Amino acid sequence: MESLPIFYTSWLAILTIIILGFILGKLKIVNANASKVLANLLLDVAMPCALFIAFPSSFDAQALDLFLKAIVGGLAMMLTAIVVSRFLFKPNKNRYPYYQHQFAFIFNNASFLGYPLTLAIFGPESMIAYSGLMIVFNLALFSYGVWLFEQQLTWKHIKQIFFNPNILAVLLGLIFFLNSFSLSLFAQQAIGYLANLTTPLSLIVVGFMLSQVPNLWLIIKKKRIFITAALQLLLMPALTYLVMRLLQMPTQICQIFTMIQALPTATSLALFAEKYHGDRQDASELVLMSTILSALTLPLVMTVVFLI
């Protein structure tokens, strides 16, 4: 029960910054080029710094146990999402981009929204579990996620996986943690300052993306987009909670992973559609519909989770 007020306060604070990003986009203070720069700064600098300092400065057996359990839980969660998506979204005579709907169901906004929410609600100690999840999430995103669009996985794609800054940051942080290495005080502070950019940058980017919607009402009326978003926001969190309980995961992992799966579809869906010649309009509409609906479904899901 104590977690509910913290959740609602944090969610309202996050929505406030998203609205700020929306206003900045409408006023053209932030444009497409600026948003791209902010997103790159987030994913290549701020987020890796945040993941690196997530580990304790000295070895702790309980923290390592939590990290390993998060990896196992993450694998179970991603496999569940992949299997279920293949049953829900299949090719049909209408030739809609079913693979994009599979992507939308599997991959959510674990980076842009997952980090600030996890940190705000569960505190710095939750970053260990979050880092374990992000290892699995990024491996799946840049392997199976790419395969959904390309129907193949080349060595170039595999190299991109292992040179992803977020994966490298977690691995480096793990090495420091296991060997009780510590950086000098000024280096720790510098990395900490960069890590603190993660929350505001991510939320402003999300708000800007929402500001670029040409006609929201037309998107809301598209039944297929609405159903995919609703399934992703309600069914997948329920399945995730069930799987975590069956695996007897710690309560913190159950709650964090369920919350992550209740977040809207990953913004990378639109980026992948652009890069790999998918249906850009369908991808953008899936992301936007999911983001808007999540403002209603996420509080509902987390209220149930915290009351169970």
Side-chain angles (χ1 to χ4, degrees):
M1 289 295 292
E2 294 180 1
S3 298
L4 273 177
I6 297 174
F7 167 78
Y8 287 122
T9 301
S10 301
W11 183 228
L12 287 173
I14 283 170
L15 285 178
T16 300
I17 302 178
I18 291 175
I19 292 170
L20 173 62
F22 181 89
I23 294 171
L24 293 175
K26 286 297 185 183
L27 295 177
K28 302 191 184 304
I29 296 175
V30 176
N31 56 26
N33 289 332
S35 176
K36 184 176 181 180
V37 170
L38 291 177
N40 288 336
L41 184 60
L42 168 68
L43 295 174
D44 294 338
V45 180
M47 179 66 75
C49 286
L51 293 174
F52 174 75
I53 64 172
F55 293 90
S57 56
S58 59
F59 178 76
D60 181 279
Q62 289 184 337
L64 178 61
D65 180 64
L66 186 65
F67 177 75
L68 295 176
K69 285 180 177 177
I71 290 179
V72 172
L75 286 170
M77 183 181 78
M78 297 309 298
L79 287 173
T80 300
I82 289 171
V83 171
V84 174
S85 72
R86 295 181 71 86
F87 281 99
L88 292 176
F89 309 105
K90 298 178 180 180
N92 62 23
K93 60 183 179 181
N94 295 325
R95 296 183 180 180
Y96 80 108
Y98 68 93
Y99 56 91
Q100 293 187 169
H101 289 246
Q102 290 180 356
F103 186 106
F105 184 81
I106 298 167
F107 300 105
N108 47 55
N109 214 328
S111 297
F112 286 9
L113 287 175
Y115 176 85
L117 269 173
T118 302
L119 181 62
I121 297 167
F122 299 98
E125 64 277 4
S126 66
M127 290 295 100
I128 288 286
Y130 179 79
S131 296
L133 171 61
M134 289 307 292
I135 282 257
V136 179
F137 182 87
N138 281 300
L139 286 173
L141 177 65
F142 292 102
S143 56
Y144 189 76
V146 171
W147 182 85
L148 282 173
F149 283 86
E150 296 278 88
Q151 295 296 302
Q152 63 175 340
L153 196 62
T154 66
W155 281 111
K156 180 181 178 181
H157 297 138
I158 293 173
K159 284 195 298 183
Q160 288 177 341
I161 295 171
F162 290 103
F163 285 98
N164 181 284
N166 295 288
I167 292 177
L168 290 175
V170 173
L171 293 177
L172 186 61
L174 181 62
I175 291 171
F176 272 60
F177 165 66
L178 292 175
N179 292 279
S180 295
F181 293 154
S182 60
L183 296 173
S184 60
L185 183 59
F186 83 88
Q188 292 178 34
Q189 288 184 341
I191 294 174
Y193 292 151
L194 290 171
N196 289 338
L197 294 173
T198 302
T199 295
L201 286 182
S202 61
L203 300 177
I204 288 173
V205 170
V206 171
F208 169 79
M209 290 178 177
L210 291 174
S211 74
Q212 303 305 295
V213 182
N215 193 325
L216 180 59
W217 181 243
L218 290 178
I219 298 175
I220 292 175
K221 292 194 297 184
K222 292 187 177 182
K223 183 178 178 181
R224 188 178 66 217
I225 300 290
F226 183 88
I227 290 175
T228 298
L231 286 171
Q232 179 252 325
L233 293 169
L234 295 173
L235 176 60
M236 200 53 223
L239 291 174
T240 297
Y241 188 84
L242 178 61
V243 170
M244 294 304 107
R245 283 304 185 195
L246 289 174
L247 292 175
Q248 298 183 333
M249 288 292 168
T251 300
Q252 186 186 78
I253 288 181
C254 291
Q255 293 178 343
I256 292 174
F257 284 24
T258 302
M259 183 189 71
I260 294 292
Q261 286 296 62
L263 295 177
T265 294
T267 52
S268 53
L269 172 57
L271 301 178
F272 275 40
E274 176 77 31
K275 183 175 182 178
Y276 300 114
H277 310 292
D279 188 325
R280 288 176 292 179
Q281 181 176 345
D282 181 82
S284 298
E285 290 175 351
L286 280 167
V287 172
L288 292 168
M289 174 65 79
S290 180
T291 302
I292 293 166
L293 286 181
S294 68
L296 300 174
T297 58
L298 179 59
L300 173 64
V301 169
M302 293 313 295
T303 298
V304 173
V305 167
F306 285 131
L307 290 177
I308 293 178

